[in-house]
mmCIF file of all heavy atoms in Angstrom:
data_model
loop_
_atom_site.group_PDB
_atom_site.id
_atom_site.type_symbol
_atom_site.label_atom_id
_atom_site.label_comp_id
_atom_site.label_asym_id
_atom_site.label_seq_id
_atom_site.Cartn_x
_atom_site.Cartn_y
_atom_site.Cartn_z
ATOM 1 N N GLY F 977 -12.243 8.314 -10.200
ATOM 2 C CA GLY F 977 -13.478 7.641 -9.836
ATOM 3 C C GLY F 977 -13.195 6.487 -8.897
ATOM 4 O O GLY F 977 -12.111 6.381 -8.301
ATOM 5 N N THR F 978 -14.167 5.594 -8.777
ATOM 6 C CA THR F 978 -13.991 4.463 -7.855
ATOM 7 C C THR F 978 -12.847 3.549 -8.288
ATOM 8 O O THR F 978 -12.209 2.911 -7.449
ATOM 9 C CB THR F 978 -15.288 3.644 -7.750
ATOM 10 O OG1 THR F 978 -15.663 3.169 -9.052
ATOM 11 C CG2 THR F 978 -16.423 4.482 -7.180
ATOM 12 N N SER F 979 -12.575 3.482 -9.587
ATOM 13 C CA SER F 979 -11.475 2.641 -10.063
ATOM 14 C C SER F 979 -10.143 3.115 -9.505
ATOM 15 O O SER F 979 -9.321 2.306 -9.043
ATOM 16 C CB SER F 979 -11.429 2.652 -11.594
ATOM 17 O OG SER F 979 -10.289 1.970 -12.084
ATOM 18 N N GLN F 980 -9.922 4.436 -9.519
ATOM 19 C CA GLN F 980 -8.662 4.976 -9.011
ATOM 20 C C GLN F 980 -8.561 4.811 -7.498
ATOM 21 O O GLN F 980 -7.474 4.548 -6.962
ATOM 22 C CB GLN F 980 -8.537 6.457 -9.383
ATOM 23 C CG GLN F 980 -8.284 6.713 -10.862
ATOM 24 C CD GLN F 980 -9.548 6.640 -11.713
ATOM 25 O OE1 GLN F 980 -10.644 6.391 -11.207
ATOM 26 N NE2 GLN F 980 -9.397 6.859 -13.007
ATOM 27 N N ILE F 981 -9.700 4.963 -6.800
ATOM 28 C CA ILE F 981 -9.695 4.762 -5.344
ATOM 29 C C ILE F 981 -9.371 3.309 -5.022
ATOM 30 O O ILE F 981 -8.541 3.008 -4.160
ATOM 31 C CB ILE F 981 -11.057 5.154 -4.739
ATOM 32 C CG1 ILE F 981 -11.351 6.635 -4.991
ATOM 33 C CG2 ILE F 981 -11.073 4.859 -3.233
ATOM 34 C CD1 ILE F 981 -12.754 7.062 -4.582
ATOM 35 N N GLN F 982 -10.020 2.398 -5.763
ATOM 36 C CA GLN F 982 -9.803 0.972 -5.507
ATOM 37 C C GLN F 982 -8.383 0.545 -5.862
ATOM 38 O O GLN F 982 -7.778 -0.273 -5.161
ATOM 39 C CB GLN F 982 -10.813 0.147 -6.312
ATOM 40 C CG GLN F 982 -10.590 -1.345 -6.206
ATOM 41 C CD GLN F 982 -11.839 -2.094 -5.820
ATOM 42 O OE1 GLN F 982 -12.746 -1.547 -5.199
ATOM 43 N NE2 GLN F 982 -11.899 -3.340 -6.199
ATOM 44 N N THR F 983 -7.841 1.087 -6.952
ATOM 45 C CA THR F 983 -6.466 0.758 -7.335
ATOM 46 C C THR F 983 -5.479 1.192 -6.254
ATOM 47 O O THR F 983 -4.548 0.448 -5.897
ATOM 48 C CB THR F 983 -6.106 1.428 -8.678
ATOM 49 O OG1 THR F 983 -6.952 0.903 -9.703
ATOM 50 C CG2 THR F 983 -4.652 1.169 -9.048
ATOM 51 N N ALA F 984 -5.690 2.397 -5.717
ATOM 52 C CA ALA F 984 -4.816 2.889 -4.646
ATOM 53 C C ALA F 984 -4.921 1.996 -3.412
ATOM 54 O O ALA F 984 -3.907 1.681 -2.769
ATOM 55 C CB ALA F 984 -5.189 4.331 -4.302
ATOM 56 N N LEU F 985 -6.133 1.583 -3.093
ATOM 57 C CA LEU F 985 -6.348 0.683 -1.959
ATOM 58 C C LEU F 985 -5.630 -0.645 -2.164
ATOM 59 O O LEU F 985 -4.936 -1.147 -1.276
ATOM 60 C CB LEU F 985 -7.843 0.423 -1.773
ATOM 61 C CG LEU F 985 -8.642 1.366 -0.871
ATOM 62 C CD1 LEU F 985 -10.127 1.055 -0.993
ATOM 63 C CD2 LEU F 985 -8.201 1.219 0.568
ATOM 64 N N SER F 986 -5.832 -1.232 -3.339
ATOM 65 C CA SER F 986 -5.259 -2.549 -3.627
ATOM 66 C C SER F 986 -3.740 -2.529 -3.537
ATOM 67 O O SER F 986 -3.115 -3.432 -2.960
ATOM 68 C CB SER F 986 -5.697 -3.020 -5.021
ATOM 69 O OG SER F 986 -7.108 -3.158 -5.094
ATOM 70 N N ARG F 987 -3.134 -1.488 -4.102
ATOM 71 C CA ARG F 987 -1.673 -1.391 -4.065
ATOM 72 C C ARG F 987 -1.170 -1.243 -2.639
ATOM 73 O O ARG F 987 -0.189 -1.871 -2.238
ATOM 74 C CB ARG F 987 -1.217 -0.207 -4.913
ATOM 75 C CG ARG F 987 -1.346 -0.438 -6.413
ATOM 76 C CD ARG F 987 -0.993 0.813 -7.183
ATOM 77 N NE ARG F 987 -1.065 0.586 -8.634
ATOM 78 C CZ ARG F 987 -1.022 1.562 -9.538
ATOM 79 N NH1 ARG F 987 -0.883 2.831 -9.146
ATOM 80 N NH2 ARG F 987 -1.085 1.276 -10.831
ATOM 81 N N ALA F 988 -1.855 -0.393 -1.865
ATOM 82 C CA ALA F 988 -1.418 -0.151 -0.484
ATOM 83 C C ALA F 988 -1.555 -1.396 0.382
ATOM 84 O O ALA F 988 -0.779 -1.597 1.326
ATOM 85 C CB ALA F 988 -2.224 0.995 0.113
ATOM 86 N N MET F 989 -2.537 -2.247 0.038
ATOM 87 C CA MET F 989 -2.799 -3.438 0.853
ATOM 88 C C MET F 989 -2.241 -4.704 0.210
ATOM 89 O O MET F 989 -2.554 -5.812 0.635
ATOM 90 C CB MET F 989 -4.308 -3.570 1.076
ATOM 91 C CG MET F 989 -4.897 -2.361 1.811
ATOM 92 S SD MET F 989 -6.710 -2.337 1.867
ATOM 93 C CE MET F 989 -7.017 -3.697 3.003
ATOM 94 N N ASN F 990 -1.431 -4.524 -0.858
ATOM 95 C CA ASN F 990 -0.803 -5.651 -1.556
ATOM 96 C C ASN F 990 -1.816 -6.679 -2.039
ATOM 97 O O ASN F 990 -1.606 -7.896 -1.939
ATOM 98 C CB ASN F 990 0.244 -6.330 -0.656
ATOM 99 C CG ASN F 990 1.422 -5.424 -0.359
ATOM 100 O OD1 ASN F 990 1.923 -4.745 -1.253
ATOM 101 N ND2 ASN F 990 1.852 -5.397 0.895
ATOM 102 N N LEU F 991 -2.932 -6.171 -2.586
ATOM 103 C CA LEU F 991 -3.960 -7.031 -3.145
ATOM 104 C C LEU F 991 -3.889 -6.981 -4.667
ATOM 105 O O LEU F 991 -3.461 -5.974 -5.242
ATOM 106 C CB LEU F 991 -5.350 -6.573 -2.677
ATOM 107 C CG LEU F 991 -5.627 -6.675 -1.170
ATOM 108 C CD1 LEU F 991 -6.958 -6.020 -0.838
ATOM 109 C CD2 LEU F 991 -5.626 -8.136 -0.733
ATOM 110 N N PRO F 992 -4.305 -8.049 -5.349
ATOM 111 C CA PRO F 992 -4.293 -8.021 -6.811
ATOM 112 C C PRO F 992 -5.308 -7.002 -7.330
ATOM 113 O O PRO F 992 -6.338 -6.758 -6.690
ATOM 114 C CB PRO F 992 -4.700 -9.450 -7.201
ATOM 115 C CG PRO F 992 -5.437 -9.977 -6.012
ATOM 116 C CD PRO F 992 -4.799 -9.338 -4.815
ATOM 117 N N PRO F 993 -5.036 -6.387 -8.484
ATOM 118 C CA PRO F 993 -5.981 -5.417 -9.044
ATOM 119 C C PRO F 993 -7.303 -6.082 -9.398
ATOM 120 O O PRO F 993 -7.345 -7.251 -9.790
ATOM 121 C CB PRO F 993 -5.268 -4.894 -10.296
ATOM 122 C CG PRO F 993 -4.265 -5.954 -10.642
ATOM 123 C CD PRO F 993 -3.855 -6.576 -9.344
ATOM 124 N N SER F 994 -8.393 -5.342 -9.249
ATOM 125 C CA SER F 994 -9.718 -5.881 -9.530
ATOM 126 C C SER F 994 -10.644 -4.748 -9.978
ATOM 127 O O SER F 994 -10.523 -3.621 -9.513
ATOM 128 C CB SER F 994 -10.299 -6.565 -8.289
ATOM 129 O OG SER F 994 -11.659 -6.902 -8.489
ATOM 130 N N ARG F 995 -11.562 -5.072 -10.896
ATOM 131 C CA ARG F 995 -12.568 -4.092 -11.322
ATOM 132 C C ARG F 995 -13.792 -4.143 -10.418
ATOM 133 O O ARG F 995 -14.679 -3.302 -10.525
ATOM 134 C CB ARG F 995 -12.988 -4.372 -12.771
ATOM 135 C CG ARG F 995 -11.916 -4.020 -13.771
ATOM 136 C CD ARG F 995 -12.242 -4.553 -15.160
ATOM 137 N NE ARG F 995 -13.464 -4.027 -15.716
ATOM 138 C CZ ARG F 995 -13.572 -2.866 -16.365
ATOM 139 N NH1 ARG F 995 -12.493 -2.085 -16.497
ATOM 140 N NH2 ARG F 995 -14.717 -2.466 -16.877
ATOM 141 N N ASN F 996 -13.855 -5.119 -9.558
ATOM 142 C CA ASN F 996 -14.987 -5.257 -8.652
ATOM 143 C C ASN F 996 -14.836 -4.275 -7.491
ATOM 144 O O ASN F 996 -13.800 -4.235 -6.835
ATOM 145 C CB ASN F 996 -15.065 -6.693 -8.124
ATOM 146 C CG ASN F 996 -16.381 -6.978 -7.430
ATOM 147 O OD1 ASN F 996 -16.816 -6.213 -6.576
ATOM 148 N ND2 ASN F 996 -17.012 -8.078 -7.797
ATOM 149 N N ALA F 997 -15.881 -3.494 -7.233
ATOM 150 C CA ALA F 997 -15.807 -2.444 -6.211
ATOM 151 C C ALA F 997 -16.196 -2.930 -4.823
ATOM 152 O O ALA F 997 -16.402 -2.122 -3.919
ATOM 153 C CB ALA F 997 -16.696 -1.272 -6.617
ATOM 154 N N ASP F 998 -16.279 -4.251 -4.627
ATOM 155 C CA ASP F 998 -16.696 -4.767 -3.317
ATOM 156 C C ASP F 998 -15.772 -4.294 -2.193
ATOM 157 O O ASP F 998 -16.208 -4.085 -1.062
ATOM 158 C CB ASP F 998 -16.727 -6.296 -3.333
ATOM 159 C CG ASP F 998 -17.911 -6.836 -4.137
ATOM 160 O OD1 ASP F 998 -18.800 -6.029 -4.470
ATOM 161 O OD2 ASP F 998 -17.932 -8.046 -4.430
ATOM 162 N N LEU F 999 -14.490 -4.126 -2.517
ATOM 163 C CA LEU F 999 -13.538 -3.708 -1.495
ATOM 164 C C LEU F 999 -13.936 -2.358 -0.897
ATOM 165 O O LEU F 999 -13.755 -2.106 0.296
ATOM 166 C CB LEU F 999 -12.131 -3.625 -2.094
ATOM 167 C CG LEU F 999 -10.979 -3.267 -1.145
ATOM 168 C CD1 LEU F 999 -10.845 -4.303 -0.047
ATOM 169 C CD2 LEU F 999 -9.673 -3.146 -1.931
ATOM 170 N N LEU F 1000 -14.509 -1.481 -1.735
ATOM 171 C CA LEU F 1000 -14.891 -0.152 -1.256
ATOM 172 C C LEU F 1000 -16.075 -0.201 -0.302
ATOM 173 O O LEU F 1000 -16.259 0.720 0.504
ATOM 174 C CB LEU F 1000 -15.240 0.759 -2.441
ATOM 175 C CG LEU F 1000 -14.080 1.201 -3.337
ATOM 176 C CD1 LEU F 1000 -14.594 2.086 -4.458
ATOM 177 C CD2 LEU F 1000 -13.034 1.943 -2.525
ATOM 178 N N GLN F 1001 -16.888 -1.256 -0.415
ATOM 179 C CA GLN F 1001 -18.077 -1.335 0.425
ATOM 180 C C GLN F 1001 -17.729 -1.353 1.909
ATOM 181 O O GLN F 1001 -18.475 -0.860 2.745
ATOM 182 C CB GLN F 1001 -18.901 -2.584 0.077
ATOM 183 C CG GLN F 1001 -19.389 -2.631 -1.362
ATOM 184 C CD GLN F 1001 -20.320 -1.500 -1.708
ATOM 185 O OE1 GLN F 1001 -21.163 -1.116 -0.913
ATOM 186 N NE2 GLN F 1001 -20.162 -0.950 -2.906
ATOM 187 N N GLY F 1002 -16.582 -1.908 2.240
ATOM 188 C CA GLY F 1002 -16.219 -1.998 3.643
ATOM 189 C C GLY F 1002 -15.306 -0.879 4.113
ATOM 190 O O GLY F 1002 -14.845 -0.899 5.258
ATOM 191 N N MET F 1003 -15.019 0.076 3.231
ATOM 192 C CA MET F 1003 -14.100 1.143 3.591
ATOM 193 C C MET F 1003 -14.851 2.402 3.995
ATOM 194 O O MET F 1003 -15.983 2.638 3.563
ATOM 195 C CB MET F 1003 -13.171 1.455 2.411
ATOM 196 C CG MET F 1003 -12.305 0.295 1.980
ATOM 197 S SD MET F 1003 -11.202 -0.309 3.289
ATOM 198 C CE MET F 1003 -10.143 1.138 3.507
ATOM 199 N N SER F 1004 -14.222 3.217 4.815
ATOM 200 C CA SER F 1004 -14.826 4.493 5.204
ATOM 201 C C SER F 1004 -13.735 5.520 5.425
ATOM 202 O O SER F 1004 -12.579 5.175 5.712
ATOM 203 C CB SER F 1004 -15.670 4.335 6.474
ATOM 204 O OG SER F 1004 -14.847 4.007 7.580
ATOM 205 N N ILE F 1005 -14.114 6.784 5.249
ATOM 206 C CA ILE F 1005 -13.200 7.881 5.554
ATOM 207 C C ILE F 1005 -13.214 8.089 7.060
ATOM 208 O O ILE F 1005 -14.291 8.147 7.664
ATOM 209 C CB ILE F 1005 -13.657 9.180 4.854
ATOM 210 C CG1 ILE F 1005 -13.821 8.951 3.356
ATOM 211 C CG2 ILE F 1005 -12.691 10.313 5.141
ATOM 212 C CD1 ILE F 1005 -12.556 8.704 2.614
ATOM 213 N N PRO F 1006 -12.062 8.191 7.707
ATOM 214 C CA PRO F 1006 -12.060 8.400 9.165
ATOM 215 C C PRO F 1006 -12.787 9.690 9.521
ATOM 216 O O PRO F 1006 -12.588 10.711 8.864
ATOM 217 C CB PRO F 1006 -10.564 8.504 9.517
ATOM 218 C CG PRO F 1006 -9.853 7.899 8.367
ATOM 219 C CD PRO F 1006 -10.698 8.134 7.164
ATOM 220 N N PRO F 1007 -13.650 9.661 10.516
ATOM 221 C CA PRO F 1007 -14.333 10.881 10.927
ATOM 222 C C PRO F 1007 -13.382 11.817 11.658
ATOM 223 O O PRO F 1007 -12.310 11.407 12.098
ATOM 224 C CB PRO F 1007 -15.421 10.370 11.882
ATOM 225 C CG PRO F 1007 -14.854 9.105 12.436
ATOM 226 C CD PRO F 1007 -14.018 8.500 11.335
ATOM 227 N N GLY F 1008 -13.771 13.088 11.740
ATOM 228 C CA GLY F 1008 -12.962 14.033 12.498
ATOM 229 C C GLY F 1008 -12.188 14.972 11.604
ATOM 230 O O GLY F 1008 -12.300 14.938 10.377
ATOM 231 N N PRO F 1009 -11.370 15.832 12.178
ATOM 232 C CA PRO F 1009 -10.625 16.851 11.425
ATOM 233 C C PRO F 1009 -9.454 16.249 10.673
ATOM 234 O O PRO F 1009 -8.312 16.264 11.130
ATOM 235 C CB PRO F 1009 -10.139 17.815 12.516
ATOM 236 C CG PRO F 1009 -10.024 16.960 13.731
ATOM 237 C CD PRO F 1009 -11.116 15.930 13.635
ATOM 238 N N ILE F 1010 -9.757 15.687 9.493
ATOM 239 C CA ILE F 1010 -8.735 14.933 8.762
ATOM 240 C C ILE F 1010 -8.097 15.714 7.634
ATOM 241 O O ILE F 1010 -7.107 15.289 7.072
ATOM 242 C CB ILE F 1010 -9.353 13.655 8.167
ATOM 243 C CG1 ILE F 1010 -10.558 14.014 7.330
ATOM 244 C CG2 ILE F 1010 -9.708 12.673 9.254
ATOM 245 C CD1 ILE F 1010 -11.211 12.856 6.659
ATOM 246 N N ALA F 1011 -8.700 16.859 7.257
ATOM 247 C CA ALA F 1011 -8.191 17.587 6.100
ATOM 248 C C ALA F 1011 -6.759 18.059 6.357
ATOM 249 O O ALA F 1011 -6.499 18.931 7.167
ATOM 250 C CB ALA F 1011 -9.087 18.782 5.797
ATOM 251 N N GLY F 1012 -5.826 17.437 5.677
ATOM 252 C CA GLY F 1012 -4.431 17.827 5.823
ATOM 253 C C GLY F 1012 -3.785 17.346 7.098
ATOM 254 O O GLY F 1012 -2.638 17.700 7.401
ATOM 255 N N GLY F 1013 -4.493 16.558 7.875
ATOM 256 C CA GLY F 1013 -3.971 16.106 9.159
ATOM 257 C C GLY F 1013 -2.952 15.006 8.989
ATOM 258 O O GLY F 1013 -2.726 14.485 7.904
ATOM 259 N N PRO F 1014 -2.302 14.601 10.082
ATOM 260 C CA PRO F 1014 -1.273 13.544 10.006
ATOM 261 C C PRO F 1014 -1.887 12.204 9.640
ATOM 262 O O PRO F 1014 -2.965 11.855 10.096
ATOM 263 C CB PRO F 1014 -0.698 13.516 11.426
ATOM 264 C CG PRO F 1014 -1.771 14.094 12.296
ATOM 265 C CD PRO F 1014 -2.475 15.114 11.466
ATOM 266 N N LYS F 1015 -1.181 11.457 8.789
ATOM 267 C CA LYS F 1015 -1.684 10.173 8.335
ATOM 268 C C LYS F 1015 -0.839 9.015 8.877
ATOM 269 O O LYS F 1015 -1.038 7.867 8.507
ATOM 270 C CB LYS F 1015 -1.710 10.125 6.802
ATOM 271 C CG LYS F 1015 -2.612 11.185 6.191
ATOM 272 C CD LYS F 1015 -2.627 11.086 4.671
ATOM 273 C CE LYS F 1015 -3.584 12.078 4.038
ATOM 274 N NZ LYS F 1015 -3.205 13.468 4.271
ATOM 275 N N SER F 1016 0.123 9.326 9.733
ATOM 276 C CA SER F 1016 1.045 8.289 10.205
ATOM 277 C C SER F 1016 0.330 7.200 10.990
ATOM 278 O O SER F 1016 0.772 6.049 11.008
ATOM 279 C CB SER F 1016 2.144 8.928 11.052
ATOM 280 O OG SER F 1016 1.582 9.624 12.161
ATOM 281 N N SER F 1017 -0.775 7.567 11.665
ATOM 282 C CA SER F 1017 -1.479 6.590 12.485
ATOM 283 C C SER F 1017 -2.514 5.794 11.690
ATOM 284 O O SER F 1017 -3.142 4.893 12.236
ATOM 285 C CB SER F 1017 -2.172 7.299 13.657
ATOM 286 O OG SER F 1017 -3.119 8.238 13.178
ATOM 287 N N MET F 1018 -2.697 6.143 10.413
ATOM 288 C CA MET F 1018 -3.687 5.447 9.595
ATOM 289 C C MET F 1018 -3.095 4.186 9.003
ATOM 290 O O MET F 1018 -1.890 4.081 8.789
ATOM 291 C CB MET F 1018 -4.155 6.352 8.449
ATOM 292 C CG MET F 1018 -4.849 7.612 8.881
ATOM 293 S SD MET F 1018 -5.280 8.590 7.422
ATOM 294 C CE MET F 1018 -5.826 10.100 8.217
ATOM 295 N N ASN F 1019 -3.991 3.233 8.694
ATOM 296 C CA ASN F 1019 -3.504 2.066 7.968
ATOM 297 C C ASN F 1019 -3.229 2.476 6.526
ATOM 298 O O ASN F 1019 -3.774 3.471 6.029
ATOM 299 C CB ASN F 1019 -4.502 0.909 8.066
ATOM 300 C CG ASN F 1019 -5.789 1.179 7.305
ATOM 301 O OD1 ASN F 1019 -5.795 1.382 6.090
ATOM 302 N ND2 ASN F 1019 -6.912 1.175 8.022
ATOM 303 N N PRO F 1020 -2.361 1.744 5.817
ATOM 304 C CA PRO F 1020 -1.959 2.152 4.468
ATOM 305 C C PRO F 1020 -3.132 2.294 3.497
ATOM 306 O O PRO F 1020 -3.126 3.178 2.631
ATOM 307 C CB PRO F 1020 -1.017 1.021 4.031
ATOM 308 C CG PRO F 1020 -0.507 0.437 5.307
ATOM 309 C CD PRO F 1020 -1.631 0.555 6.288
ATOM 310 N N GLY F 1021 -4.142 1.434 3.627
ATOM 311 C CA GLY F 1021 -5.290 1.509 2.726
ATOM 312 C C GLY F 1021 -6.056 2.805 2.890
ATOM 313 O O GLY F 1021 -6.422 3.453 1.904
ATOM 314 N N THR F 1022 -6.298 3.201 4.135
ATOM 315 C CA THR F 1022 -7.017 4.444 4.394
ATOM 316 C C THR F 1022 -6.231 5.646 3.892
ATOM 317 O O THR F 1022 -6.779 6.563 3.281
ATOM 318 C CB THR F 1022 -7.303 4.595 5.906
ATOM 319 O OG1 THR F 1022 -8.102 3.497 6.342
ATOM 320 C CG2 THR F 1022 -8.036 5.891 6.185
ATOM 321 N N ALA F 1023 -4.923 5.650 4.146
ATOM 322 C CA ALA F 1023 -4.081 6.753 3.688
ATOM 323 C C ALA F 1023 -4.094 6.863 2.166
ATOM 324 O O ALA F 1023 -4.151 7.974 1.609
ATOM 325 C CB ALA F 1023 -2.648 6.560 4.195
#
């Protein structure tokens, strides 16, 4: 759920863990053919 998404984000961005989902409000999935595509150019949070 959103908790697991937020935890992954926080760890990747070296942020303290939080139950508040505000961080997700500013996040988005990159548009385009991303299914299985290369993630090297993505920031760690998005990946």
